[in-house]
Amino acid sequence: MKAPEVVTYALTVNGIRHRVQTEARKLLLDVLREDLGLAGPHAGCEHGVCGACTVLMNGRTVRSCLMFGVQAVDSRILTIEGVAKDGVLHPLQQEFSVHHALQCGFCTPGMILTALEFLGEHPDPTEVDVRDALSGNLCRCTGYDSIVDAVLAAGRRMREGRKAGV
Ligand code: FES
Ligand code: FES
């Protein structure tokens, strides 16, 4: 049997440029987890349904289980590991904690990155908007109410921060 083709390419993840030497057929999810040691993107369904593997690519959510790592060359990837800045948790991360919006935490990175993109485009959402935005991210534990509350609270804080020029 022919050995899998190995390729070398550069990936920018959480603001850091990495050189990766790995199988050409490797999924972005597996490159992030196995080659870069980032455990935030989770492997759930591995066919695009659960949202646990969600990362941002150039500011847009993508399912890292549905694309190859080589497809992310020349793109900016953000995983949950890059969301806090200078040791300070993002308002979304803080509100997830305050509202007990996670139990096992398996869905949480994908939920937060999805909410991050969403709040960037919908700074003053309704509860229905939030539920709709998160409908592609599955949680087996929380019943969703606390997650929606956390996203709404983070949205309020982010709006207040913008008004205050923070
Ligand atoms: S692991 Fe990618 S969508 Fe479920
Ligand atoms: S907190 Fe367990 S899957 Fe969402």
Side-chain angles (χ1 to χ4, degrees):
M1 199 168 70
K2 199 175 160 202
E5 183 188 0
V6 172
V7 292
T8 302
Y9 55 91
L11 277 186
T12 302
V13 183
N14 301 331
I16 300 170
R17 198 157 171 82
H18 299 271
R19 186 179 152 87
V20 177
Q21 188 168 43
T22 195
E23 292 176 22
R25 66 180 182 182
K26 205 165 192 180
L27 297 172
L28 177 60
L29 172 63
D30 296 327
V31 172
L32 293 171
R33 290 181 61 86
E34 295 170 10
D35 294 80
L36 301 185
L38 296 168
H42 288 151
C45 65
E46 296 186 79
H47 62 271
V49 173
C50 73
C53 66
T54 301
V55 298
L56 295 187
M57 186 162 97
N58 298 330
R60 312 298 303 188
T61 48
V62 294
R63 309 240 145 161
S64 61
C65 72
L66 291 185
M67 57 184 290
F68 297 111
V70 289
Q71 291 177 282
V73 171
D74 295 331
S75 301
R76 289 173 290 109
I77 301 294
L78 183 72
T79 71
I80 193 68
E81 287 89 348
V83 172
K85 290 283 174 272
D86 300 324
V88 179
L89 293 178
H90 187 279
L92 272 166
Q93 294 171 302
Q94 293 178 22
E95 295 299 339
F96 265 63
S97 172
V98 168
H99 289 270
H100 307 292
L102 64 153
Q103 289 178 26
C104 77
F106 194 82
C107 69
T108 311
M111 288 282 185
I112 287 180
L113 288 163
T114 301
L116 190 60
E117 178 195 36
F118 169 69
L119 288 177
E121 295 178 342
H122 304 86
D124 192 6
T126 65
E127 179 186 331
V128 172
D129 294 334
V130 173
R131 288 188 184 278
D132 189 48
L134 297 179
S135 61
N137 291 73
L138 306 184
C139 176
R140 295 167 294 188
C141 307
T142 63
Y144 298 95
D145 285 352
S146 54
I147 294 173
V148 173
D149 290 346
V151 173
L152 288 168
R156 280 193 295 277
R157 282 186 52 188
M158 291 164 72
R159 287 196 300 282
E160 287 160 10
R162 273 191 289 274
K163 273 190 214 153
V166 180

